[in-house]
Every structure is written in C-alpha cells, then in structure tokens.
C-alpha cells in the first residue's frame, strides 16, 4: 500500500504520512514474494513526510530524519462507574490475580505460572483467560495447583467486567529484540482503565511516562515476579490501589482517541 501512496504524493505534490502500527513479523515461514514485500514495507518507512509510529524506536531505527509523533494506543472514553476495591486490610474471600490475552511463547505465561506457584498467600487465585499454543502448559499447572483456573477465551464485554473486579492484572510478556521494541502492548492500557493495579515487565515499547502508571518488575525472574505479586495483593496501606486509581484518571485525560487525534 505504501508505494502507491508515495507515488501519488509526488504526482499531486502533497505530503504523505504513515501510521506504523506494526512491522512485518519475524520468525515465521514466508514465500519469496512475502519476503520481498516485507523488505519493501520497512524500506519505504523513511520515504514519508511524517510518521505516527506506536514506539519511538520505529522512527529512530528506520527513519531517523523523519518528523514523528508517537501514538502508542488509545481508548474510547465512556463514562462508567468502576467497582472500587475495598481496603486490602479488610478480610476478603479471594485475592484474584488475572491474566487476559494470547497464550504463546512471547506472552510470558510460563513465567507467570511458575511465579504464582511459588507464592504462599492465603486465598490467592490465578485466573487465566485466552487461547493459544501454550494451553497445554496452562492445563498442566491447573491440574497440579487448585489455586489456578483456566477459563479459555470469552467475550471482551465479560473480560472488561472481570478486570474491574480483579485484585491484580498481570502482563508478563517477555522482552525480545524485535517485537517488544516495535510494538506497544495495548492490553496494558486496557488494564489501566480498569482502575486496578497492573504488574508488567518493562518492555522497550512502553514509554517512560507509564512508569508512574504501572508496577514494573525489575527482572523477568520468577522469584522477582512472585515477590511483586505478593507485595501488591497483600498491601495493607492501599498504596497500589491508590496508584491504580490515579493511573486510571491520567489515561482518561491523556489517552483517549480524541486526545490522541488532536495531538
């Protein structure tokens, strides 16, 4: 698609702009034609007058002299009441850790499962929603740990409600040298809008402004993740839930599609 747009821009002497939402996926088998197309896509990024990439690394690595504005994600601002979590220093039936999304090698689901198996928090539960080629591994943990539940893939409407009622939302996606550098995990923004604490690895594609909105694990080590999960769901000061509520207010102000479009 890019080449005709660039040619038309030259013919009609108008400026052309490119939204770079993702780059060609590496590591999958492709035909010669597909490989040529991938190379052309990447090579044409620097031919536009301006870019709207999802991460700053796309501009820096493929079009360093091209003006750009990063738009990593956005959401539709709908006024709604968010279930307010009661103080964590009160007795609660369960402490629910929730993962929603694809279950593949990049998702970090194995990291999450192993980390959760190490925590010894009374009434802690891990609820997993999604599908992918790691379902068999998930089921093996479910069979050996009665605190882990696999619900499969359900509707987005139900997922939103589940996220609002979680104690902790997790995004254990693993860092690699390509995908996480040139993409933004939109699930993270969806998590934040729930008003509940979020735990994630610090991926290269996540802007630094999210440092105050998300709880980042220092490493992808399972012991580190287990410790972070325990700290958040056992917090008696309400530090994490208050941080989550402030994060929600911040994205409602600065990450709506209307706001991003105005930028």
């Amino acid at each position: 698609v890019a080449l005709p747009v660039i040619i038309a821009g030259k013919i009609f002497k108008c400026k052309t702009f490119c939204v770079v939402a993702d780059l060609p996926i590496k590591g999958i088998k492709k035909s010669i034609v597909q490989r040529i197309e991938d190379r052309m896509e990447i090579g044409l990024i620097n031919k536009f007058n301006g870019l709207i990439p999802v991460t700053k690394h796309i501009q820096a690595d493929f079009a360093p002299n091209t003006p750009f504005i990063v738009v990593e994600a956005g959401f539709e601002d709908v006024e709604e009441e968010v279930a307010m979590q009661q103080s964590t220093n009160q007795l609660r039936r369960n402490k629910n850790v929730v993962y929603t999304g694809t279950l593949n090698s990049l998702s970090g689901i194995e990291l999450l499962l192993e980390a959760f198996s190490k925590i010894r928090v009374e009434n802690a539960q891990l609820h997993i929603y999604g599908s992918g080629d790691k379902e068999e591994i998930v089921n093996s943990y479910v069979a050996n740990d009665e605190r882990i539940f696999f619900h499969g893939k359900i509707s987005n409407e139900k997922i939103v409600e589940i996220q609002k009622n979680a104690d902790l939302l997790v995004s254990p996606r693993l860092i690699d040298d390509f995908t996480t550098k040139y993409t933004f995990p939109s699930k993270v923004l969806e998590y934040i809008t729930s008003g509940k604490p979020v735990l994630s690895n610090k991926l290269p594609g996540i802007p630094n402004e999210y440092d105050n909105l998300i709880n980042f694990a220092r490493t992808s080590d399972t012991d580190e993740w287990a410790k972070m999960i325990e700290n958040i769901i056992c917090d008696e000061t309400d530090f994490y839930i208050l941080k989550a509520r402030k994060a929600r207010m911040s994205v409602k102000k600065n990450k709506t599609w209307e706001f991003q479009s105005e930028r």
Side-chain angles (χ1 to χ4, degrees):
V1 177
L3 186 58
V5 171
I6 292 170
I7 293 173
K10 293 185 180 299
I11 292 174
F12 296 104
K13 298 181 180 179
C14 60
K15 292 184 177 181
T16 58
F17 297 84
C18 182
V19 177
V20 191
D22 52 32
L23 294 175
I25 299 173
K26 286 187 173 182
I28 61 175
K29 190 175 181 179
K30 297 182 179 182
S31 67
I32 294 176
V33 174
Q34 288 174 321
R35 293 199 297 270
I36 293 173
E37 184 180 19
D38 286 353
R39 183 166 297 199
M40 285 184 64
E41 282 188 20
I42 291 176
L44 289 171
I45 292 176
N46 65 1
K47 305 301 182 183
F48 290 89
N49 297 105
L51 298 179
I52 306 171
V54 293
T55 80
K56 64 181 181 180
H57 303 291
I58 293 174
Q59 185 267 355
D61 292 352
F62 301 108
N65 298 317
T66 304
F68 74 105
I69 277 185
V70 171
V71 176
E72 77 284 2
F75 75 100
E76 193 69 29
D77 185 18
V78 178
E79 283 300 325
E80 56 186 8
E81 290 295 322
V82 174
M84 303 303 279
Q85 179 181 3
Q86 71 183 92
S87 175
T88 51
N89 59 16
Q90 300 176 22
L91 290 177
R92 305 187 62 208
R93 188 179 64 170
N94 294 316
K95 299 179 185 296
N96 294 318
V97 180
V98 173
Y99 170 89
T100 65
T102 306
L103 305 173
N104 59 22
S105 56
L106 272 181
S107 67
I109 190 64
E110 293 175 81
L111 162 64
L112 174 61
L113 289 164
E114 183 62 24
F116 188 84
S117 69
K118 293 181 177 182
I119 73 171
R120 296 293 179 265
V121 177
E122 185 179 0
N123 298 330
Q125 294 185 351
L126 173 60
H127 294 269
I128 298 171
Y129 299 84
S131 62
D133 56 21
K134 295 295 182 180
E135 290 183 28
E136 186 175 343
I137 292 175
V138 174
N139 284 322
S140 69
Y141 275 86
V142 171
N144 291 292
D145 193 332
E146 62 182 11
R147 305 171 303 160
I148 301 177
F149 301 85
F150 178 42
H151 304 277
K153 191 173 183 179
I154 64 175
S155 70
N156 189 63
E157 291 76 13
K158 291 182 179 179
I159 285 293
V160 170
E161 289 302 314
I162 289 164
Q163 290 171 351
K164 290 178 185 176
N165 291 294
D167 295 282
L168 173 63
L169 298 167
V170 289
S171 178
R173 189 170 184 178
L174 301 175
I175 299 172
D176 68 0
D177 61 356
F178 187 83
T179 306
T180 56
K181 186 177 182 181
Y182 301 125
T183 61
F184 175 84
S186 56
K187 177 173 62 180
V188 166
L189 183 58
E190 179 182 291
Y191 277 177
I192 296 172
T193 61
S194 72
K196 296 304 171 73
V198 179
L199 174 61
S200 171
N201 284 318
K202 182 60 188 294
L203 306 178
I206 300 179
N208 291 334
E209 63 184 292
Y210 283 81
D211 290 353
N212 296 322
L213 309 179
I214 300 172
N215 305 289
F216 288 114
R218 291 174 297 180
T219 70
S220 295
D221 179 74
T222 55
D223 290 331
E224 169 72 12
W225 265 76
K227 180 180 178 181
M228 288 289 294
I229 291 172
E230 288 185 349
N231 288 345
I232 295 172
I233 65 177
C234 296
D235 176 39
E236 296 185 350
T237 67
D238 285 345
F239 169 81
Y240 292 103
I241 189 61
L242 291 175
K243 177 180 179 179
R245 291 173 185 171
K246 290 179 181 178
R248 180 177 185 270
M249 294 303 296
S250 176
V251 299
K252 279 178 66 66
K253 179 180 179 182
N254 300 314
K255 297 300 177 182
T256 64
W257 282 121
E258 181 179 7
F259 182 86
Q260 296 284 45
S261 297
E262 288 177 355
R263 290 179 57 228

